[in-house]
Amino acid sequence: MPRPLSKALRRAALYFAVLVIVSPALLFFLWMLSLSLKPEVDNISYPPVLIPTTLAWSNYAQVFAENSFGRYFINSLIVTGSATLIGLVIGAPAAYGIARAKATKLSVVVMIARMTPGLSYLIPLFLMFRWLGLMGTLWPQIITHLVITLPIVIWVLISYFEALPIELEEAGRIDGANRWQVFRHVVLPLTRPGITVALLLSFIFSWNNFVFGIVLAGRTTRTLPVAVYNSLTFEQVSWGPLSAAALVVVIPVLVLTVVAQKQIVAGLTSGAVKGG
């Protein structure tokens, strides 16, 4: 009898700890949702109106009508999608080579690019892209976002490649496949959970990036985080449309995370177990 009780107490303590950890983020999200659904008179009233009495969907309509958020949404999809796919195409073979060569020091060097503050090399990149005539396009942001996506792909996939039995690859070589065919038809299918995790994490971090866009984006090439920042004005802050704009940025990543949470957890857990 004491053992089931102890197990129940541990589970209750775990749920309580998780609730304490996520409650600030959940509170801020609900607060932002409330602001986006209230008329502006309720947002600036005192005492504050916490629960909307009438739903002001016009805040969302105003965001897309006045701030070209449709274009910025497409820009974010192009930049994030391209950087994620290019990072996978380059990062997967790189991670495989590092894992098979057991060059762990090289993986640390790759991660330095992710650890270095983006502002430290944004000015040289800005000058380089202007010299190449790429400013005013989405290419500067796609290329710089590889600093985010490429290290994530490499670090996530290294543990999967290291845990993959070398005998499977040797069997493919015996059957007549070259190294590239073994990598494509044997290694990649077996590391699909890791690839899924790498894609999702790369997409999330790239989608939320603000620093690169604020320096390299033009008026027509802004991404959503930069568009939300530029919607602020010195004269007056409209909290309803501003919160609606922030939710437009958050909701795609939130939906993607909720839909793919099982794949994320399974992939990370599998990589941790295999890597151990």
Side-chain angles (χ1 to χ4, degrees):
M1 186 68 182
R3 182 172 296 178
L5 180 60
S6 177
K7 183 177 181 181
L9 288 176
R10 287 198 300 268
R11 178 173 296 182
L14 176 62
Y15 287 157
F16 179 76
V18 172
L19 180 62
V20 170
I21 293 173
V22 303
S23 57
L26 182 61
L27 176 62
F28 288 131
F29 178 81
L30 293 177
W31 188 6
M32 184 168 60
L33 179 63
S34 174
L35 289 173
S36 70
L37 294 175
K38 289 186 298 186
E40 198 61 27
V41 64
D42 289 343
N43 286 330
I44 61 176
S45 64
Y46 186 84
V49 178
L50 299 179
I51 301 177
T53 55
T54 58
L55 299 180
W57 296 106
S58 58
N59 291 330
Y60 291 89
Q62 180 178 344
V63 166
F64 285 92
E66 298 181 2
N67 298 294
S68 301
F69 258 59
R71 174 191 297 173
Y72 303 143
F73 187 86
I74 294 175
N75 289 344
S76 289
L77 285 178
I78 295 174
V79 171
T80 300
S82 300
T84 300
L85 292 178
I86 295 174
L88 180 64
V89 170
I90 300 175
Y96 176 72
I98 292 172
R100 285 294 172 252
K102 300 187 183 302
T104 55
K105 293 183 179 180
L106 183 58
S107 64
V108 175
V109 173
V110 172
M111 202 60 185
I112 290 177
R114 183 70 182 91
M115 298 165 58
T116 305
L119 289 174
S120 62
Y121 45 78
L122 264 180
I123 301 303
L125 285 175
F126 174 82
L127 296 176
M128 182 188 71
F129 289 132
R130 189 175 65 175
W131 179 71
L132 293 174
L134 295 176
M135 297 303 297
T137 69
L138 294 175
W139 279 110
Q141 296 183 78
I142 294 174
I143 295 172
T144 51
H145 275 232
L146 289 175
V147 178
I148 302 172
T149 61
L150 190 56
I152 292 176
V153 170
I154 292 175
W155 268 78
V156 169
L157 292 182
I158 282 178
S159 62
Y160 284 87
F161 292 143
E162 287 179 338
L164 198 65
I166 192 66
E167 291 79 9
L168 296 176
E169 300 177 37
E170 292 175 348
R173 299 295 297 272
I174 293 175
D175 290 338
N178 57 37
R179 183 173 293 275
W180 171 250
Q181 291 172 330
V182 169
F183 174 73
R184 181 180 176 184
H185 298 290
V186 178
V187 175
L188 289 184
L190 293 174
T191 55
R192 188 173 300 171
I195 293 174
T196 302
V197 173
L199 284 174
L200 292 174
L201 293 180
S202 299
F203 186 92
I204 291 172
F205 280 97
S206 177
W207 181 274
N208 292 326
N209 183 267
F210 171 78
V211 175
F212 295 154
I214 197 65
V215 176
L216 299 174
R219 182 178 297 273
T220 60
T221 58
R222 294 170 182 165
T223 53
L224 283 179
V226 179
V228 173
Y229 171 77
N230 283 296
S231 64
L232 292 170
T233 61
F234 292 103
E235 294 83 6
Q236 180 181 1
V237 177
S238 299
W239 295 109
L242 182 62
S243 299
L247 279 175
V248 170
V249 180
V250 171
I251 286 177
V253 174
L254 182 63
V255 171
L256 179 64
T257 304
V258 171
V259 171
Q261 61 177 331
K262 291 184 178 180
Q263 289 84 348
I264 295 176
V265 173
L268 291 176
T269 304
S270 177
V273 173
K274 292 178 182 178

